[in-house]
Amino acid sequence: VQVAAYAGTVLAAPFILYFVAQFVFPALKMAEKKYVFRGLFFGLGLFSVGILFCYFALMPVALSASVKYTQWLGFSVQQWRAEDYIGFVSKFMLGMGLGFEMPVILLVLVKIGVLNYASLSRARRYVIILNFFMGAILTTPEIITQILMALPLQVLYEITVWIAWYWERKEKRRLAMEEVEA
């Protein structure tokens, strides 16, 4: 049942996005459409990078840790049921892919004025805790995969803070140039 739900979601996602776009796009101006397309492009790229990172870096560690835990508990399970394996891998990869979407969401909020560099910088301590919490919830119970999940998310957050700082600095320069010209 889980496998069918995941497959159905993946197969239906392009159609759902298409119908939502058909509803929303007529109300957008040309510049807004440009930002939406950029966001979709970067969002899809980051989602793909998150899935690839999860599959090639986290999954081998998580699966070997799961086997070690079963051995420590006294029952050795070397084979997975297909439903359990696909469910585990799908949840893990979806969580990491969605985690890699954080910069796109935060930068959109910066562009529309909800967030700025100062607020992102002040929230750093909370985001560190949140990233480790997500690592604890979405991964296996051993610390290595939790850290391997939290670190790239924190690096992406720091890159987002730097981009917000750059945009803010660029906007201040533009405003100063307009004052000089006026």
Side-chain angles (χ1 to χ4, degrees):
V1 176
Q2 281 183 336
V3 175
Y6 290 127
T9 303
V10 168
L11 292 174
F15 296 105
I16 293 169
L17 288 174
Y18 174 76
F19 291 125
V20 168
Q22 288 292 318
F23 179 73
V24 173
F25 267 49
L28 297 178
K29 297 175 186 163
M30 190 58 79
E32 293 168 336
K33 288 179 184 178
K34 181 177 74 171
Y35 288 128
V36 168
F37 283 125
R38 282 183 188 170
L40 286 174
F41 175 75
F42 286 115
L44 181 61
L46 283 172
F47 188 81
S48 300
V49 168
I51 286 175
L52 291 172
F53 177 78
C54 181
Y55 187 77
F56 290 112
L58 289 178
M59 288 309 299
V61 174
L63 292 175
S64 67
S66 295
V67 170
K68 290 282 188 206
Y69 277 124
T70 60
Q71 290 172 350
W72 288 343
L73 294 173
F75 58 95
S76 181
V77 179
Q78 296 296 328
Q79 295 180 345
W80 291 63
R81 288 185 8 208
E83 181 180 343
D84 294 336
Y85 177 77
I86 292 172
F88 174 73
V89 170
S90 298
K91 288 177 195 172
F92 206 11
M93 291 172 63
L94 181 65
M96 198 62 176
L98 291 175
F100 270 57
E101 291 294 310
M102 178 185 56
V104 174
I105 295 167
L106 292 177
L107 290 174
V108 165
L109 293 174
V110 167
K111 267 297 189 196
I112 63 174
V114 173
L115 294 175
N116 60 17
Y117 165 72
S119 62
L120 290 174
S121 185
R122 280 193 308 270
R124 182 175 283 120
R125 292 178 284 182
Y126 304 111
V127 172
I128 291 170
I129 293 169
L130 179 67
N131 286 336
F132 279 102
F133 179 74
M134 284 177 33
I137 296 289
L138 295 174
T139 64
T140 57
E142 48 85 31
I143 192 75
I144 295 171
T145 55
Q146 294 174 7
I147 291 173
L148 282 175
M149 185 171 195
L151 284 179
L153 295 178
Q154 188 61 36
V155 168
L156 286 172
Y157 182 78
E158 295 301 329
I159 291 170
T160 302
V161 172
W162 292 338
I163 292 171
W165 171 79
Y166 175 75
W167 285 352
E168 194 172 298
R169 195 174 111 198
K170 186 176 170 183
E171 183 65 20
K172 285 180 183 177
R173 283 184 184 166
R174 186 186 66 79
L175 291 174
M177 290 298 284
E178 285 179 1
E179 283 183 14
V180 169
E181 291 174 359

